[in-house]
Amino acid sequence: MGARPRLLCVDLDSTFAHKKYNNSRLTPLGKTDNISLMEEQTLEDLLQQYRKGHHEALETIVELTRVPLYRFILGLVRDPHVAEDVFQDVWLRAIKGLHRYERDRLLAWLFRIARNRVIDLSRKRKPDASLQQPAGSGTEATTLEYFLSSSSPGGERNTSNRELAQRIFQAVDRLPPEQREVYLMRTEAEIPFKEIALAQGVPLNTALARMQYALKRLRSELSEDYETLLHVSNRTP
Amino acid sequence: MNPQNLSHRLLLRQSGELSTEDSAELEAYLQENPEAQALDQEYLVLQDADRFASSELVPPVNDITLERIRSAAQTSTPAPRSRWMAIAAGIVLLLAALPLLIPPESSPINVQEDSFSSTSPFISETEDFSEELEDLQQEIASWNDISTWELLEVEEESYLAEQLLPPVESI
């Protein structure tokens, strides 16, 4: 494991340091656009460089997309080890299939590959499986144990952050699979609902309803932490 | 505006998928309804929550994984070039396979050869062969006075006799 690059150090006295909404769009602190949109152009530029033969550009792309892609996969498979394998596989497939990638949202494209890969894995283990039955053999406990066992990089200062983060992961893990998928597609890659509905093969209203129920459930699960979340997300009415 | 309609519109506005007209209408509604404003805020906060948790907990890419990706990237040909290479290779293959795909037309020379062959000694050679074949068939027929089934029966009877009857010396 290498050093963990971070956009900004987060603590509870600050805000959601790496992004916050502004005019309904996520905005990283000190920058003018949300992380997906901000980096989407960067990703496209890097992709162009890679296509011109600058292989090192891909490494930067992998790093820029690491958190949302890994989190999305983890949310589907709920097993950190399986998630790591899928993450690698997604990139190997993406590299092979880059010629098929038309100018689109790279992250959304990677999410689609990841989603298909997770479904393939589930079917290998159980032929009639879907995302309803995650590919990972793990449970939420596996995910949490894994993260709890990894040492806190920031020491004392980050402990409360990590504990809160763990409670959030726990709550998200408890969502029904189809709601969890919509929630993660929205939160991690900001995939539009129309695309999510297409990916899930459901009407737009169903995708919206799934998100609505997911948020309602999270609100209930995180009720004790809501004030803290409100504070750290720096949302003011 | 019913609660579900409001929720859907808020979500669509946050994802940038709500039309300008609907956005304006929703904005006016939010101004008049503090509860709807609170719901809007709640949705945003709860979506931020997972991003916050990810930034805290998602581990860095494993070195081995990164090395494999890096290695795959280095061995992979950049896309546009590979696409054109594939098209060019396809054209070359098609050109190479073209003579095999189109059946050759019969030429006048072939026709002449055919007509020539009808007057050639080939027919007499065929006649000789059929005569030889007839001779062979007759020879086989002369040896076939005992049919195969009959031969099998005889063999079986001899075997039973050997097994069941005592040897001549013992009688």
Side-chain angles (χ1 to χ4, degrees), chain B residues 105-123:
Chain B
E105 290 174 16
S106 41
S107 62
I109 295 168
N110 287 339
V111 174
Q112 281 173 0
E113 277 173 358
D114 289 346
S115 58
F116 178 71
S117 66
S118 66
T119 57
S120 71
F122 180 76
I123 292 174

Side-chain angles (χ1 to χ4, degrees), chain A residues 60-184:
Chain A
T60 315
I61 298 174
V62 172
E63 183 49 41
L64 286 173
T65 55
R66 175 182 62 87
V67 172
L69 182 60
Y70 182 89
R71 170 65 185 126
F72 176 66
I73 296 166
L74 182 67
L76 299 185
V77 301
R78 302 165 83 193
D79 179 328
H81 302 292
V82 176
E84 199 153 296
D85 288 347
V86 174
F87 179 87
Q88 177 186 301
D89 201 35
V90 166
W91 269 111
L92 298 183
R93 280 160 191 262
I95 290 164
K96 274 186 190 170
L98 265 178
H99 61 280
R100 286 195 300 271
Y101 171 76
E102 300 297 339
R103 197 177 168 87
D104 189 3
R105 297 189 66 220
L106 183 67
L107 201 53
W109 183 63
L110 291 171
F111 269 45
R112 281 199 292 274
I113 297 174
R115 186 179 191 274
N116 291 338
R117 188 69 195 119
V118 171
I119 292 171
D120 287 348
L121 269 179
S122 304
R123 284 183 182 150
K124 268 184 193 169
R125 294 181 185 193
K126 201 175 175 184
D128 58 344
S130 65
L131 284 177
Q132 311 285 323
Q133 291 121 346
S137 57
T139 61
E140 63 196 45
T142 319
T143 311
L144 289 173
E145 276 165 20
Y146 177 83
F147 288 121
L148 285 166
S149 65
S150 55
S151 60
S152 175
E156 194 76 16
R157 195 175 61 86
N158 279 331
T159 308
S160 53
N161 277 11
R162 289 179 63 79
E163 285 170 357
L164 175 62
Q166 283 154 10
R167 286 195 295 278
I168 295 166
F169 264 29
Q170 212 168 7
V172 175
D173 273 356
R174 281 196 289 265
L175 291 173
E178 66 281 3
Q179 290 178 22
R180 193 182 331 129
E181 191 188 16
V182 177
Y183 176 77
L184 291 173

Side-chain angles (χ1 to χ4, degrees), chain B residues 62-99:
Chain B
N62 184 303
D63 285 343
I64 299 166
T65 303
L66 197 60
E67 188 51 47
R68 282 181 187 151
I69 295 169
R70 193 183 293 138
S71 150
Q74 279 168 359
T75 51
S76 165
T77 316
R81 205 178 300 162
S82 64
R83 181 187 292 176
W84 286 112
M85 291 276 280
I87 292 168
I91 292 168
V92 169
L93 276 172
L94 191 69
L95 287 172
L98 211 56

Side-chain angles (χ1 to χ4, degrees), chain A residues 19-36:
Chain A
K19 45 196 134 174
K20 62 177 181 178
Y21 268 95
N22 181 18
N23 295 330
S24 300
R25 308 300 296 175
L26 276 173
T27 307
L29 197 67
K31 298 189 179 180
T32 55
D33 208 344
N34 78 47
I35 189 161
S36 297

Side-chain angles (χ1 to χ4, degrees), chain A residues 4 16 66 183 188 193 235, chain B residues 17 46 48 50 52 55 59:
Chain A
R4 184 182 172 193
F16 278 129
R66 175 182 62 87
Y183 176 77
E188 296 295 346
F193 282 105
R235 299 286 182 188
Chain B
E17 293 171 272
L46 291 169
D48 280 344
D50 190 74
F52 162 75
S55 71

Side-chain angles (χ1 to χ4, degrees), chain B residues 116-170:
Chain B
F116 178 71
S117 66
S118 66
T119 57
S120 71
F122 180 76
I123 292 174
S124 62
E125 280 175 18
T126 314
E127 281 169 357
D128 291 345
F129 177 75
S130 46
E131 277 170 18
E132 275 180 33
L133 190 66
E134 271 175 29
D135 289 345
L136 277 170
Q137 280 172 338
Q138 279 171 4
E139 202 168 334
I140 290 166
S142 66
W143 284 96
N144 266 359
D145 292 339
I146 303 169
S147 72
T148 315
W149 286 111
E150 284 170 331
L151 278 170
L152 280 174
E153 278 170 18
V154 169
E155 276 177 14
E156 197 176 356
E157 279 166 11
S158 318
Y159 173 78
L160 287 170
E162 277 174 20
Q163 296 294 314
L164 300 173
L165 296 174
V168 179
E169 293 84 21
S170 67

